[in-house]
Amino acid sequence: MCGIVGYIGKNKIKDILLEGLAELEYRGYDSAGIAVLQDENFSIYKAVGKLENLRNKTQDFHPEGFAIGIGHTRWATHGKPTELNAHPHIGSNSYVVHNGIIENYQELKASLIKEGFNFVSQTDTEVIVHLFESKLTKLNDPVKAFRATLDELQGAYAVLLITACSPETIFFAKHGSPMLIGLNGDEKYFASSDTPIIGLAKEAIYLEDGENGYLDATSTHLFNEKYEPVKEQTKALATSKLSAQKDGYRFFMEKEIYEQTHVISDTLMGRLGEAEINFEELDPELFLGINEIKLCACGTSYHSALAASYLFERYSKIRCSVEIASEFRYKEPLMCKDTLFVVISQSGETADTLETLKMAKRAGLKSLVICNVDNSSMVREADASILTRAGIEKGVASTKAFATQMVVFWMLSLYLAKQRKTLTSIELAKHVSLLREVPSTVVVKDELHEKLRRLSKRYLHGHGFFFIGRDVFFPLALEGALKLKEISYLHAEGYPSGEMKHGPIALADPELFTIALMPTNLLYEKTKSNVEELSARDSTICAISAREFDKADDFIKIEERSHYMHEFFEMMVVLQVLSLEISVRLGNDVDMPRNLAKSVTVE
Ligand code: M6R
């Protein structure tokens, strides 16, 4: 999804903007651009495709000394990925970059065209810069003109604007899309997430929705949506980006699969007692009067939520329902105050999920977010938060975020079980010791990786994949199918094993690949019967199990385990590595698959 950077200062502005954009690359984009204003002159560069193209275009551009500038990576929403549609968008003497969607851009565009403005792009963003210049002509004051512009914009946005009539100032506004300001003496940075700023600024202002203002090298002017001054609240920024480097792995996704063992240890750290789970960040009163849990999320986070619903009902004996955020938003849902509303998100910025959280809060529900990014919009919005501690996840295809979400959910179901007295101390102690072993279940062994690499060559074609499983292995099947389709572009579906005979089995033939999740500790015989039904219809079967299965064409053996959740985590790794290797053989961009964005901040 789109990314924004901005800079005011005396340092190498071109490098700061381009390196900042490179930090946002993993979010997905299809064009990029920068605009620099120095000594009242604008320099503007845009390019379609990878940042390398933009770097090449700026080869002879070497600004020295004080300058201000803005940059953007665009993930096309309105209009194709072309240079004209790339940001920054130009007025006659101003430039703008924008994340989000201006919903009323067509009305605004029509009236600006009547005023005589000429549009060169198909984007919604371009209205912002023309609207600003229209207001500037009438009001003759850039601050008033910027505010009058914001007053007319509807939708979600984060905006940076620079203008020749105030050549040392960046105007900014946040309304529904993330934005923060990094501070380092008389150097100022803007970014849509903290990674471009880490190492450059020590502290940051995370803007709240409705906040806007302008700043230059020596002063910051921050206002709320009524344009009343707001006192800046700064927060310390992390100091190291080391964890976001590839560390010798071919891809971020590969590195992130391998580091699951460490990040799961981090997720568990300080939270495991003898026979209880400690979440210091939770006020136990959060669950007072709660009779139901509603989980809401998108994509991979939705899959972890679905798996969690089995754990909450099984261990905490509490009713639990799961919703896809984009569906929940418009179904006119009934929300009861005895429901705890839980959103799950790696980024904490997914527009649909964030909106459901706001809806639940408006309806008076208590809320909790399970999230990987501290200070993200959801963390700030929810009543309570549990951080998954997976570290920065750069691969668009989520891996370690899912793993840590599952660990948090398992712990949370036990935390609640203790509160609700639905498990005995002996049972809780048993679970705690099982949790301690999870990091070892996700270690990627060389032999396994090599086997999956060899096997992958047999799964590059065919007319589709079914991933099947029962109970928590059904959401895991959904997640396995999502991983495969995201990075291999092969058609894959996840199904509950028992559903196959209700329709999907009609597709079975040798060109239909079934990836069967066959845990030995949970419903093995039931799953086995379902897989045999597919095998009898000549579907090509790849079984994943600790128990040999002679009806499979390919067999991936996992360790004998005493608990199904350990089988869950080991199979999760198998599915991740298998998808990765299929994608590599197909020559795809593993970390930045086509059409996808890491953080989906538009609905
Ligand atoms: O940041 P979130 O967890 O809210 O993101 C939700 C989905 O966009 C995300 O999980 C997406 O499905 C991933 N690409 C999955 O690999």
Side-chain angles (χ1 to χ4, degrees):
M1 201 101 318
C2 306
I4 286 183
V5 294
Y7 176 67
I8 298 178
K10 292 191 206 113
N11 262 322
K12 295 190 179 255
I13 190 163
K14 179 183 95 173
D15 297 345
I16 288 171
L17 294 177
L18 290 178
E19 279 160 27
L21 291 180
E23 292 294 335
L24 298 172
E25 261 193 308
Y26 71 98
R27 294 163 59 92
Y29 68 105
D30 37 46
S31 57
I34 58 170
V36 171
L37 177 53
Q38 186 171 46
D39 302 331
E40 297 184 20
N41 291 318
F42 278 110
S43 306
I44 166 93
Y45 298 90
K46 298 188 194 189
V48 173
K50 296 285 176 202
L51 269 183
E52 202 45 39
N53 303 341
L54 184 61
R55 274 198 202 97
N56 291 340
K57 284 201 167 180
T58 58
Q59 250 172 12
D60 300 325
F61 174 52
H62 301 291
E64 296 287 339
F66 180 84
I68 68 171
I70 54 180
H72 192 263
T73 45
R74 172 172 186 257
W75 188 76
T77 54
H78 296 75
K80 289 196 159 43
T82 61
E83 238 172 71
L84 278 180
N85 286 337
H87 303 211
H89 283 283
I90 182 174
S92 54
N93 251 325
S94 319
Y95 281 90
V96 71
V97 290
H98 156 233
N99 283 358
I101 289 179
I102 305 300
E103 285 168 359
N104 58 336
Y105 84 101
Q106 272 162 328
E107 297 97 278
L108 293 172
K109 187 169 176 173
S111 88
L112 287 162
I113 288 173
K114 273 194 202 139
E115 278 185 48
F117 285 92
N118 185 25
F119 280 76
V120 294
S121 79
Q122 301 155 305
T123 65
D124 52 335
T125 305
E126 197 182 346
V127 296
I128 303 173
V129 70
H130 295 313
L131 190 57
F132 170 76
E133 293 197 333
S134 159
K135 304 286 181 197
L136 189 60
T137 314
K138 290 167 199 153
L139 299 167
N140 207 20
D141 174 334
V143 175
K144 286 185 185 154
F146 187 63
R147 290 176 176 179
T149 304
L150 298 182
D151 287 342
E152 292 198 23
L153 300 182
Q154 287 169 16
Y157 52 80
V159 170
L160 293 184
L161 181 140
I162 55 178
T163 177
C165 75
S166 188
E168 300 193 352
T169 308
I170 294 185
F171 294 85
F172 61 89
K174 175 200 181 322
H175 186 84
S177 292
M179 166 91 82
L180 68 150
I181 305 171
L183 306 170
N184 187 11
D186 54 6
E187 285 187 274
K188 307 279 160 59
Y189 301 84
F190 287 90
S192 47
S193 80
D194 55 10
T195 38
I197 301 184
I198 292 174
L200 297 173
K202 293 194 179 67
E203 51 182 13
I205 305 168
Y206 288 82
L207 296 178
E208 297 293 338
D209 276 345
E211 288 185 342
N212 62 82
Y214 53 98
L215 57 81
D216 54 32
T218 51
S219 57
T220 304
H221 305 268
L222 181 62
F223 304 93
N224 64 19
E225 58 198 332
K226 293 183 189 146
Y227 307 114
E228 297 158 340
V230 170
K231 190 164 163 24
E232 320 148 20
Q233 306 275 0
T234 56
K235 289 200 169 162
L237 272 170
T239 49
S240 155
K241 284 188 208 180
L242 252 188
S243 59
Q245 309 300 328
K246 275 192 208 153
D247 288 348
Y249 289 97
R250 296 170 296 171
F251 311 100
F252 280 113
M253 182 187 178
E254 187 175 39
K255 177 191 162 222
E256 286 157 8
I257 294 170
Y258 273 76
E259 71 189 11
Q260 289 178 122
T261 179
H262 304 298
V263 296
I264 288 176
S265 299
D266 290 347
T267 308
L268 295 171
M269 202 171 28
R271 288 168 168 166
L272 300 184
E274 280 293 307
E276 74 278 314
I277 302 294
N278 307 309
F279 280 117
E280 273 182 9
E281 55 275 71
L282 292 188
D283 177 348
E285 303 235 322
L286 183 69
F287 297 94
L288 271 189
I290 295 297
N291 291 314
E292 181 177 351
I293 294 178
K294 193 174 275 299
L295 304 170
C296 196
C298 301
T300 287
S301 299
Y302 167 73
H303 296 154
S304 74
L306 212 51
S309 67
Y310 290 83
L311 304 182
F312 283 125
E313 299 215 342
R314 180 165 298 142
Y315 299 136
S316 334
K317 302 289 176 227
I318 186 161
R319 259 200 322 276
C320 183
S321 56
V322 192
E323 305 271 357
I324 291 181
S326 56
E327 285 299 306
F328 188 72
R329 278 182 78 166
Y330 301 106
K331 71 190 269 199
E332 298 180 27
L334 298 177
M335 291 192 258
C336 304
K337 295 219 169 108
D338 65 349
T339 301
L340 177 70
F341 195 79
V342 183
V343 287
I344 306 92
S345 176
Q346 188 286 127
S347 61
E349 302 296 348
T350 302
D352 282 320
T353 313
L354 178 59
E355 188 50 39
T356 63
L357 174 58
K358 290 180 181 166
M359 284 165 64
K361 284 195 75 181
R362 282 197 294 272
L365 270 62
K366 289 194 204 171
S367 60
L368 167 69
V369 59
I370 292 171
C371 190
N372 196 36
V373 181
D374 197 5
N375 289 319
S376 58
S377 301
M378 285 184 221
V379 169
R380 281 178 284 133
E381 187 74 28
D383 296 329
S385 57
I386 300 179
L387 294 177
T388 47
R389 305 179 183 163
I392 296 172
E393 188 181 63
K394 286 207 159 190
V396 165
S398 185
T399 51
K400 60 178 181 167
F402 176 77
T404 52
Q405 285 168 354
M406 283 310 305
V407 171
V408 165
F409 274 131
W410 189 1
M411 287 194 286
L412 191 60
S413 70
L414 303 177
Y415 176 93
L416 256 184
K418 162 122 185 164
Q419 244 190 35
R420 297 166 63 85
K421 302 189 177 46
T422 52
L423 288 181
T424 63
S425 298
I426 294 171
E427 286 166 327
L428 282 167
K430 173 83 185 118
H431 276 281
V432 168
S433 79
L434 288 167
L435 274 161
R436 288 188 202 284
E437 290 168 36
V438 176
S440 66
T441 66
V442 296
V443 170
V444 190
K445 297 193 192 79
D446 288 349
E447 319 83 77
L448 175 74
H449 196 147
E450 179 52 20
K451 175 167 177 120
L452 293 169
R453 196 189 62 74
R454 273 186 288 114
L455 207 64
S456 62
K457 64 175 171 287
R458 297 166 62 163
Y459 293 93
L460 307 176
H461 58 287
H463 62 66
F465 286 75
F466 276 138
F467 286 68
I468 61 169
R470 280 176 177 261
D471 202 278
V472 290
F473 294 86
F474 158 51
L476 183 60
L478 287 172
E479 176 58 9
L482 180 66
K483 284 295 82 82
L484 185 70
K485 66 185 140 198
E486 282 186 295
I487 59 174
S488 72
Y489 318 144
L490 295 168
H491 183 240
E493 295 302 329
Y495 261 100
S497 316
E499 266 297 292
M500 298 308 287
K501 59 172 100 51
H502 298 288
I505 203 167
L507 295 177
D509 71 18
E511 293 299 294
L512 178 89
F513 300 136
T514 299
I515 312 290
L517 308 182
M518 304 176 70
T520 52
N521 291 290
L522 192 73
L523 301 168
Y524 179 81
E525 291 303 328
K526 303 266 177 222
T527 310
K528 184 167 158 249
S529 308
N530 302 139
V531 182
E532 281 168 351
E533 286 155 13
L534 278 152
S535 173
R537 281 146 189 96
D538 232 4
S539 169
T540 298
I541 310 282
C542 175
I544 309 174
S545 184
R547 195 172 300 165
E548 296 288 340
F549 176 61
D550 60 8
K551 304 265 181 350
D553 300 87
D554 285 313
F555 182 68
I556 301 166
K557 186 162 170 47
I558 61 163
E559 301 237 331
E560 305 273 351
R561 307 267 180 197
S562 62
H563 195 272
Y564 71 91
M565 284 305 287
H566 284 176
E567 296 183 293
F568 179 98
F569 282 104
E570 197 177 341
M571 287 189 195
M572 172 197 78
V573 172
V574 170
L575 297 178
Q576 294 166 341
V577 176
L578 183 62
S579 297
L580 173 91
E581 290 303 334
I582 291 175
S583 173
V584 172
R585 281 195 191 269
L586 291 169
N588 297 341
D589 189 338
V590 170
D591 285 332
M592 277 182 271
R594 70 184 187 201
N595 304 337
L596 295 181
K598 181 66 187 165
S599 179
V600 183
T601 47
V602 291
E603 72 168 305

